[in-house]
Amino acid sequence: MATETAQAKQAMRRVIRARRRERRQQADDNVWRELSTTLADAVLTFVREAAPDAACVAVYESLDTEPPTEQLITGLRARQRQVIAPITLPDKDLSWRDVAGNADLGVDHIAAADVIVLPALAIDAHGMRLGQGGGSYDRALARRGPHALTLAVVFDGELVAGVPAEPHDLPVDAVWTPTGGILRFA
Ligand SMILES: Nc1nc2c(c(=O)[nH]1)N(C=O)[C@@H](CNc1ccc(C(=O)N[C@@H](CCC(=O)O)C(=O)O)cc1)CN2
Ligand SMILES: Nc1ncnc2c1ncn2[C@@H]1O[C@H](COP(=O)(O)OP(=O)(O)OP(=O)(O)O)[C@@H](O)[C@H]1O
């Protein structure tokens, strides 16, 4: 898709991915573990306060340069929540698996999630999200339950004034940053 907006998104992704690689290279494993703890504490509190009866939480399993979700996943499981993580299909649509098993629960299982923790490269002041560019979460969010809360996770400096938005983009309800904690949009 060669629209100006799609090109603007690509340019922004390149800058943020490069910054993330540099950030990861400069942080030792202790710093990363602390980040994982800070994220887990904040999101566990958010779930307890905003969705106390949540039975199922969808969480991305972080890649090396992303805000680390390992301790969040452990903490949710310790609190008896089902945790589901995405399986990327060949067309980049998302199916889901319980992190405790390997069975493919299907693309519609996202409807079971009471809270959805999304990866993002940037979030803007309206909650619009810049993702990896596969349109994966756009499609998955269209199948979410009517009361599901969406929380995106980004680094400081990735909560920006504006991201280029296309008509299919949907805003998130809240965002977490290491320094700012959780900001609720809706
Ligand atoms: N952890 C995670 N899982 C996810 C996503 C994601 O953004 N993060 N996705 C979101 O839709 C889907 C998969 N799509 C993806 C597309 C591109 C890249 C990617 O290229 N990422 C980094 C490499 C990060 C690293 O290895 O540290 C990059 O380009 O630099 C990742 C996921 C579903 N699962
Ligand atoms: N509901 C949809 N159905 C099919 N294709 C879609 C849908 N939403 C978005 N796409 C396509 O996916 C591509 C990437 O979209 P976009 O730039 O919004 O991805 P993203 O949200 O940043 O990425 P991701 O969710 O994978 O992290 C676009 O070409 C778009 O047309």
Side-chain angles (χ1 to χ4, degrees):
M1 191 174 58
T3 67
E4 266 175 50
T5 310
Q7 286 174 14
K9 283 183 169 183
Q10 257 334 93
M12 200 163 168
R13 286 186 186 106
R14 264 197 303 278
V15 172
I16 295 169
R17 285 181 182 134
R19 237 168 33 204
R20 284 188 169 191
R21 282 193 294 273
E22 194 167 326
R23 184 194 303 273
R24 186 64 188 96
Q25 272 169 10
Q26 286 172 1
D28 66 25
D29 289 347
N30 284 329
V31 168
W32 222 248
R33 212 169 306 116
E34 276 171 36
L35 196 58
S36 184
T37 305
T38 306
L39 191 164
D41 288 349
V43 178
L44 288 168
T45 300
F46 174 78
V47 170
R48 196 180 65 232
E49 292 177 356
D53 299 325
C56 177
V57 181
V59 184
Y60 70 95
E61 295 178 294
S62 49
L63 302 168
D64 190 44
T65 62
E66 293 180 313
T69 55
E70 201 179 320
Q71 293 189 46
L72 171 61
I73 291 171
T74 306
L76 287 166
R77 285 176 42 68
R79 286 159 183 75
Q80 324 302 327
R81 321 280 187 176
Q82 184 187 34
V83 179
I84 60 172
I87 300 169
T88 310
L89 300 174
D91 68 354
K92 297 201 164 68
D93 201 348
L94 300 181
S95 191
W96 299 89
R97 49 178 274 275
D98 189 311
V99 295
N102 280 314
D104 187 332
L105 303 171
V107 295
D108 289 322
H109 204 77
I110 189 65
D114 302 291
V115 178
I116 302 169
V117 180
L118 297 88
L121 291 173
I123 295 291
D124 79 9
H126 308 284
M128 298 307 286
R129 166 179 173 273
L130 180 73
Q132 290 288 355
S136 301
Y137 274 91
D138 295 322
R139 282 176 279 176
L141 289 181
R143 307 181 185 111
R144 74 186 186 278
H147 304 295
L149 282 172
T150 53
L151 169 69
V153 163
V154 294
F155 290 107
D156 293 338
E158 296 170 352
L159 181 55
V160 299
V163 301
E166 294 174 273
H168 62 255
D169 289 325
L170 297 167
V172 296
D173 297 318
V175 62
W176 174 88
T177 57
T179 302
I182 288 173
L183 172 68
R184 189 97 187 236
F185 296 110

